[in-house]
């Protein structure tokens, strides 16, 4: 029997966190290739440390591509600059950037490419999950949504010049109390943010307090004794100068904050033939539409693929005891509404576009769909069809 009264915690990290710097660079490079050639194949991994960036992985650009290692290095520098790193230990102008991308393995390409009598196959084996719930208007779990929102507001203020004493690197953590299965308020909030030399923790706390209060629903602020800001006492050295960063190391931050399972595959730097990314987006799309249609208050969906095979091996739908309809039938209807082959997902959601750098921080889910196709997996355009299917 599920608990009704409990505490649940999720964390977020800012765009200046070392791992998120790497996610941003990887996705900027992916966008660079997709802008030139929508069918490009990219699996780009980034490592960042003190004034050093290493970009590695595989790619298959379009014919007569004009993307050079120098252009890739420039793209990485512009990403670092946009985040805000102009520090002695990590500076967009001075960091050494090594580009080690190589051609996609022909063995992988053979499994993915369409051929006579064979549709485009999945870029890897694995299982992917999507989740939605009615805890927030965005149909996201409340702890991760508010953890993101705190950092989004602080970041926007920093970029606007309102918080010049704060640096790009930051983390948040939100613990919410649930009563009868619904979130009712915060019991603890942690914010750690990079700052200039000389600020005390108390001063940093007062700088971030208004943004925390603005991010939370009215009356949800935790007790003062459980509001922790820079609890180590000092956070001047940050970003890749303080800790090594790697692409794909914040998969729970990127998804549901631990409120739902994760298949294990990261997103950033991967083109949409990689089902680690595209199928996770598709499962969020399906789960969100199920909840938006009023068919369940919570919906968890798993899909599984084999490398080189176009059709999914399985589709599992669980409404976690909140459903209004039969789950087996719901799974059948979802497969009828959306072609879940890699090509079908890419076409349905319009994923072969340079829309990925914006996903690299503050979560891939719970963001509004954008006019150029960004966050297309957050659309609610299946709601009417789902309601008709179930009267």
């Amino acid at each position: 029997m599920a608990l009704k009264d409990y505490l649940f915690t999720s964390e977020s990290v800012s765009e200046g966190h070392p791992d998120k710097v790497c996610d941003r660079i990887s996705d900027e490079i992916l966008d660079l290739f997709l802008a030139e050639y929508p069918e490009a194949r990219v699996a780009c991994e980034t490592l960042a440390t003190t004034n050093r960036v290493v970009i590695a992985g595989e790619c298959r650009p379009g014919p007569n591509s004009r993307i050079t290692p120098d252009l890739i290095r420039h793209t990485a520098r512009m990403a670092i600059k946009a985040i805000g790193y102009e520090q002695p230990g990590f500076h967009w102008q001075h960091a050494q950037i090594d580009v080690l991308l190589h051609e996609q393995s022909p063995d992988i390409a053979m499994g993915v490419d369409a051929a006579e009598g064979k549709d485009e196959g999945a870029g890897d084996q694995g299982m992917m999950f999507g989740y939605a719930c009615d805890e927030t208007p965005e149909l996201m779990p409340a702890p991760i949504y508010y953890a993101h929102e705190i950092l989004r507001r602080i970041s926007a203020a920093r970029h606007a010049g309102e918080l010049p004493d704060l640096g790009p690197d930051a983390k948040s953590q939100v613990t919410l109390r649930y009563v009868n299965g619904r979130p009712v308020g915060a019991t603890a909030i942690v914010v750690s943010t990079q700052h200039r030399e000389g600020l005390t923790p108390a001063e940093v706390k007062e700088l971030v307090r208004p943004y925390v209060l603005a991010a939370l629903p009215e009356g949800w602020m935790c007790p003062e004794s459980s509001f922790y800001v820079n609890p180590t006492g000092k956070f001047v050295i940050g970003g890749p100068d303080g800790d090594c960063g790697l692409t794909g190391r914040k998969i729970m931050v990127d998804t549901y904050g631990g409120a739902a399972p994760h298949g294990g595959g990261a997103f950033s730097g991967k083109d949409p033939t990689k089902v680690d990314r595209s199928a996770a987006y598709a499962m969020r799309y399906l789960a969100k539409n199920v909840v938006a249609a009023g068919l369940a208050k919570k919906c968890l969906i798993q899909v599984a693929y084999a490398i080189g095979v176009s059709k999914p091996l399985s589709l599992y739908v669980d409404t976690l005891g909140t459903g209004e309809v039969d789950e087996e039938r719901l799974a059948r209807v979802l497969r009828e509404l959306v072609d879940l082959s890699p090509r079908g997902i890419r076409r349905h959601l319009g994923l072969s576009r340079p829309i990925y750098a914006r996903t690299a921080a503050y979560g891939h889910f719970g963001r509004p769909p954008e006019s150029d196709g960004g966050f297309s997996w957050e659309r609610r355009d299946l709601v009417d069809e789902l309601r008709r299917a179930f009267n």
Side-chain angles (χ1 to χ4, degrees):
M1 184 174 178
L3 283 174
K4 295 292 185 180
D5 300 341
Y6 56 92
L7 304 181
F8 194 85
T9 302
S10 295
E11 73 157 350
S12 179
V13 297
S14 74
E15 78 246 45
H17 184 280
D19 297 329
K20 285 288 146 197
V21 172
C22 294
D23 285 347
R24 172 71 175 270
I25 291 171
S26 292
D27 275 334
E28 291 279 8
I29 292 166
L30 170 62
D31 282 353
L32 179 69
F33 279 94
L34 291 177
E36 181 187 65
Y37 181 58
E39 302 299 317
R41 302 279 173 79
V42 181
C44 177
E45 308 286 348
T46 303
L47 175 148
T49 186
T50 302
N51 271 332
R52 186 75 179 270
V53 175
V54 179
I55 299 167
E58 61 171 19
C59 63
R60 190 173 76 183
N64 304 312
S65 175
R66 297 185 178 183
I67 297 173
T68 64
D70 281 345
L71 181 55
I72 292 170
R73 273 187 284 270
H74 173 75
T75 300
R77 290 193 193 282
M78 291 302 99
I80 297 166
K81 182 181 182 182
I83 292 167
Y85 276 111
E86 295 185 344
Q87 300 167 7
F90 197 68
H91 196 293
W92 66 274
Q93 285 181 306
H94 308 311
Q96 178 181 331
I97 300 178
D98 299 326
V99 178
L100 305 176
L101 288 171
H102 60 78
E103 286 285 331
Q104 184 182 46
S105 160
D107 291 350
I108 294 175
M110 179 175 60
V112 176
D113 290 345
E116 186 176 349
K118 173 187 176 298
D119 194 6
E120 180 181 292
D124 203 352
Q125 70 176 43
M127 66 282 189
M128 302 83 208
F129 290 89
Y131 180 69
C133 63
D134 66 351
E135 293 177 11
T136 62
E138 295 75 14
L139 305 185
M140 285 290 287
I144 187 65
Y145 178 78
Y146 292 115
H148 286 323
E149 188 64 17
I150 288 168
L151 293 186
R152 270 198 296 260
R153 289 173 180 267
I154 292 172
S155 174
R158 179 177 62 84
H159 284 295
E162 298 169 14
L163 291 172
D165 291 332
L166 300 189
D169 195 356
K171 301 178 78 171
S172 67
Q173 186 170 287
V174 173
T175 300
L176 296 185
R177 179 182 299 281
Y178 284 72
V179 175
N180 198 28
R182 304 295 299 177
V184 298
T187 63
I189 293 174
V190 184
V191 179
S192 296
T193 179
Q194 189 181 10
H195 60 86
R196 67 165 175 81
E197 186 72 66
L199 283 184
T200 67
E203 290 170 325
V204 176
K205 190 174 193 177
E206 294 314 308
L207 286 176
V208 305
R209 184 189 298 274
Y211 301 96
V212 174
L213 290 171
L216 297 173
E218 187 175 354
W220 276 38
M221 184 61 180
C222 67
E224 185 65 21
S225 60
S226 298
F227 179 32
Y228 302 97
V229 176
N230 284 9
T232 62
K234 185 178 180 180
F235 188 0
V236 173
I237 300 171
D241 188 31
D243 193 8
C244 180
L246 292 169
T247 299
R249 204 160 53 175
K250 286 291 178 284
I251 58 176
M252 304 314 289
V253 171
D254 286 343
T255 53
Y256 308 103
H262 192 292
F267 300 157
S268 289
K270 296 178 181 177
D271 74 74
T273 68
K274 279 74 173 174
V275 284
D276 278 345
R277 184 170 217 162
S278 57
Y281 289 175
M283 294 307 103
R284 162 65 180 173
Y285 173 64
L286 296 181
K288 183 174 183 177
N289 276 270
V290 167
V291 175
L295 304 185
K297 294 182 182 300
K298 298 180 181 181
C299 184
L300 175 68
I301 305 180
Q302 185 210 57
V303 69
Y305 292 88
I307 189 168
V309 178
S310 63
K311 295 298 182 183
L313 306 181
S314 64
L315 185 74
Y316 165 78
V317 179
D318 185 356
T319 54
L320 303 165
T322 70
E324 302 291 335
V325 298
D326 178 73
E327 290 163 336
E328 276 191 49
R329 185 178 170 211
L330 179 56
R332 290 196 300 272
V333 168
L334 292 173
R335 293 188 78 154
E336 291 168 3
L337 291 178
V338 180
D339 176 0
L340 295 179
S341 69
R343 186 200 300 271
I345 291 171
R346 196 169 71 251
R347 288 180 173 174
H348 189 95
L349 296 178
L351 298 181
S352 296
R353 291 182 277 192
I355 55 173
Y356 296 104
R358 68 195 75 170
T359 70
Y362 312 117
H364 293 244
F365 307 130
R367 314 273 289 272
E370 298 177 347
S371 58
D372 66 349
F375 300 102
S376 60
W377 48 93
E378 293 296 316
R379 301 190 315 241
R380 304 183 186 209
D381 52 1
L382 297 181
V383 165
D384 290 343
E385 291 179 271
L386 283 167
R387 287 174 176 164
R388 280 196 296 270
F390 292 94
N391 299 315

